[in-house]
Amino acid sequence: MNVAIIAAAGQGTRMGGERAKQFLELAGIPIIIRTLRAFEQCEVIQEIIVVIAAQEQTGFLSLAGSYNLPKLSKVVVGGSTRAESVLHGLQAIRPATAAVVAVHDGVRPLVAPDEITRTVNAAQLHDAAILVAPVTDTIKEVIEGGVVRSLNRSRLRRALTPQCFHYSLLRRAYEQADVLNPDVTDESMLMEQLGVRIAIVEGNARNIKITTPEDIAVGEALLREMLDAGC
């Protein structure tokens, strides 16, 4: 069984306001619901676990009950860091039936089901795979306020989510990780520490992470484009 862990325990301090960013609406529908719908529509995902902040759990359960989300099996309370939150989700998986685990940011609502499918399939072949997008800007390495060198952007990619791994491999990575370290910002970092080769799957740059008020406007424009294109 392939399981998605949706990391949605963040408080979104950069967004401002009183509501956590995953509960803000994107074109009339909460961001977290749009995210979950993408995984509901993905045939290679059989189960969804959502990790949410303790104070948001009741509200989320009420919200989720208003939508058709049959794959949503568990809602667990997150931790003090992203890594600890994902670990809580991982601990809720039944090891006997687990195959590939897809970890996704709850505030990336524009991921396409096809992107999820391709990344899960790559993890089935290679044990570890992440969705990425090209880097379009020229990137500079800077030390002490000065440019040291320009990096070859043809060799660079932006890490997106989902990031997908065989359950046993991801569990081993988390057993060796300092999950309270706020600098552990994705699962790929843990795999790199294990020396695991991670396959990449090219994704679409529209799979943005909603973190600021400006991202809401950008996300709605991208959503209109997707709907116009029949995505």
Side-chain angles (χ1 to χ4, degrees):
M1 178 180 291
N2 299 326
V3 183
I5 295 175
I6 308 301
Q11 294 304 298
T13 55
R14 282 176 289 179
M15 183 66 73
E18 296 181 357
R19 300 178 68 189
K21 58 188 176 182
Q22 55 269 31
F23 295 105
L24 298 178
E25 291 187 352
L26 192 67
I29 295 176
I31 289 169
I32 185 63
I33 298 299
R34 288 197 178 277
T35 300
L36 291 171
R37 280 181 169 178
F39 285 83
E40 286 284 347
Q41 295 166 11
C42 182
E43 293 183 358
V44 301
I45 296 295
Q46 288 80 46
E47 181 181 3
I48 300 172
I49 296 171
V50 172
V51 186
I52 207 84
Q55 66 271 24
E56 304 287 358
Q57 191 173 25
T58 301
F60 172 75
L61 288 170
S62 176
L63 176 67
S66 302
Y67 295 87
N68 182 29
L69 301 168
K71 293 182 184 179
L72 177 59
S73 64
K74 297 176 184 175
V75 178
V76 300
V77 174
S80 60
T81 64
R82 184 187 187 280
E84 188 179 25
S85 293
V86 173
L87 176 60
H88 288 181
L90 194 58
Q91 290 169 337
I93 294 176
R94 296 180 297 275
T97 59
V100 170
V101 179
V103 182
H104 187 71
D105 295 323
V107 289
R108 288 188 186 270
L110 301 182
V111 64
D114 173 68
E115 292 176 311
I116 302 167
T117 297
R118 289 188 290 114
T119 312
V120 169
N121 289 343
Q124 289 174 330
L125 289 174
H126 305 287
D127 293 338
I130 67 171
L131 195 65
V132 300
V135 173
T136 56
D137 295 322
T138 299
I139 304 297
K140 306 291 185 179
E141 182 180 355
V142 175
I143 296 177
E144 296 180 352
V147 173
V148 176
R149 58 173 176 157
S150 299
L151 303 181
N152 182 355
R153 66 185 177 191
S154 68
R155 299 178 60 186
L156 302 175
R157 295 292 187 276
R158 293 189 296 114
L160 309 177
T161 65
Q163 299 191 355
C164 301
F165 314 92
H166 273 283
Y167 168 81
S168 58
L169 180 61
L170 187 58
R171 192 63 189 255
R172 178 160 62 94
Y174 267 96
E175 286 171 352
Q176 299 182 31
D178 177 7
V179 297
L180 298 181
N181 181 357
D183 293 330
V184 178
T185 54
D186 73 354
E187 288 61 51
S188 178
M189 295 175 66
L190 302 182
M191 295 299 159
E192 293 163 29
Q193 292 171 10
L194 290 181
V196 172
R197 183 182 186 276
I198 305 162
I200 64 166
V201 175
E202 296 288 350
N204 196 301
R206 68 173 172 243
N207 182 8
I208 64 171
K209 188 174 183 180
I210 307 292
T211 57
T212 67
E214 291 78 13
D215 292 334
I216 294 286
V218 172
E220 290 184 338
L222 291 171
L223 181 60
R224 286 192 295 271
E225 289 180 6
M226 292 172 66
L227 295 174
D228 290 342
C231 297

